[in-house]
Amino acid sequence: MMTKLVITVAPTGSLPMKSKTPHVPITPKEIVECALRCEAAGAAVVHVHVRDPETQAPSPRYDLFQEVVEGLRGRSRLILQVSTGGRAGMSYEERCQRLALCPEMASLTTGSVNFPDAVYINSPSLIEKLAADMLRYRIKPEMEIFDTSMIANALDLAARGLARPPLHFNFVMGLKGAIPATAENLMHLKSSLPADATWTVSGIGPAQLPMNVLGIVLGGHVRVGLEDNIYYRKGVLASNEQLVERVVRIARELGREVASPDEARAILGLTEPLSVVS
Ligand code: ZN
């Protein structure tokens, strides 16, 4: 029997604004409430970005991350995965501060990539510093893979003792400027991983559903949410919980059971975070 499916929801991201979709949670309170609905629908992990509540712009503010993390702890079993992504040229200091909240996981992009509107810069030294911070706080990195070379970079971090195996990867596919969302590319990414690694697949826009289905069939895990895709189908806006519900239904039809947050902890090999241990 295949491992149970770990569903990550990425409800907010950096891009969608209320003017594009009313379903995107922006304030910490909206993000917390949305995450709770997604947990009830079957999500095990929530990938957290925060926004300035006034302008809706991506924000590095510690107090906003803190409000989300603390709002979910105690009310939820969800695995909290804080994004260390930094659009609009956020500095290392701005991107690492939130790690002091000791979420169980955090994203770590192991290379630079062209986004449609900007260069997403992750220099070797920035990647090393973020990886070292995560080790110190006992946070499991999710290696964000926008292109094949980023897998090699992640394995190199592990070889140098900057990340502890088994590694966990998220393939972000179908973003213009990064790896195209094709079955062949997914097979290649999957076959480039060490045997003990776990992986999730995210598809951007219309690639979300087909890549999720491939992930379910191939024994990987999936990410859904408005960060990657705001539509249920062409022309019809989705809510985050609808996207979770749909992927749960499809997984069950395909004979793949869905992991609870605690089952996901075992699958992803999470240890207790520092704040809980000490
Ligand atoms: Zn993100």
Side-chain angles (χ1 to χ4, degrees):
M1 204 180 86
M2 265 196 202
T3 319
K4 288 189 177 181
L5 180 72
V6 178
I7 299 173
T8 298
V9 64
T12 302
S14 299
L15 288 181
M17 299 282 181
K18 290 275 192 197
S19 58
K20 269 237 154 136
T21 171
H23 303 298
V24 63
I26 298 288
T27 65
K29 191 171 182 303
E30 286 175 344
I31 294 170
V32 167
E33 295 302 326
C34 178
L36 292 172
R37 291 193 299 273
C38 290
E39 180 182 21
V45 182
V46 60
H47 172 81
V48 179
H49 287 252
V50 296
R51 307 283 193 91
D52 183 306
E54 304 300 318
T55 65
Q56 300 185 39
S59 173
R61 272 172 50 191
Y62 184 82
D63 62 315
L64 297 174
F65 277 104
Q66 188 175 29
E67 222 181 309
V68 174
V69 167
E70 291 179 356
L72 284 169
R73 280 181 183 153
R75 285 183 72 189
S76 145
R77 288 299 298 163
L78 280 170
I79 297 167
L80 304 179
Q81 182 191 90
V82 163
S83 169
T84 61
R87 280 187 185 246
M90 282 181 204
S91 66
Y92 159 70
E93 285 72 20
E94 288 176 312
R95 290 169 63 171
C96 76
Q97 203 190 18
R98 61 198 77 163
L99 297 177
L101 291 164
C102 293
E104 287 177 85
M105 298 181 80
S107 63
L108 179 63
T109 304
T110 52
S112 299
V113 61
N114 281 349
F115 283 163
D117 54 348
V119 186
Y120 180 30
I121 298 174
N122 295 288
S123 70
S125 68
L126 175 116
I127 295 165
E128 281 175 21
K129 283 194 278 187
L130 288 174
D133 291 339
M134 291 183 203
L135 266 186
R136 197 170 67 242
Y137 290 120
R138 296 186 211 167
I139 297 169
K140 176 142 187 166
E142 176 176 270
M143 306 297 183
E144 303 298 324
I145 304 303
F146 290 78
D147 241 318
T148 317
S149 60
M150 293 191 193
I151 294 178
N153 295 346
L155 298 181
D156 182 58
L157 284 177
R160 289 186 292 135
L162 285 162
R164 207 171 282 136
L167 300 182
H168 177 66
F169 294 82
N170 176 36
F171 305 138
V172 185
M173 305 184 72
L175 182 71
K176 192 165 179 281
I179 195 163
T182 66
E184 290 78 6
N185 283 340
L186 179 59
M187 291 307 293
H188 179 61
L189 294 173
K190 174 185 178 306
S191 65
S192 304
L193 300 184
D196 64 350
T198 48
W199 60 275
T200 292
V201 62
S202 305
I204 302 301
Q208 184 171 74
L209 182 57
M211 299 320 283
N212 284 172
V213 172
L214 285 171
I216 293 167
V217 172
L218 293 172
H221 304 283
V222 298
R223 179 167 108 173
V224 296
L226 270 55
E227 170 165 349
D228 302 330
N229 162 48
I230 63 171
Y231 293 105
Y232 194 84
R233 63 176 75 86
K234 196 169 165 43
V236 180
L237 292 170
S239 69
N240 282 294
E241 47 272 38
Q242 281 176 328
L243 294 173
V244 175
E245 285 162 4
R246 176 167 67 180
V247 86
V248 167
R249 276 199 308 274
I250 293 170
R252 291 197 173 134
E253 288 292 330
L254 291 168
R256 191 91 191 267
E257 287 303 315
V258 173
S260 69
D262 286 332
E263 289 167 338
R265 285 181 172 89
I267 292 165
L268 300 173
L270 297 181
T271 51
E272 288 194 43
L274 198 56
S275 59
V276 177
V277 172
S278 54

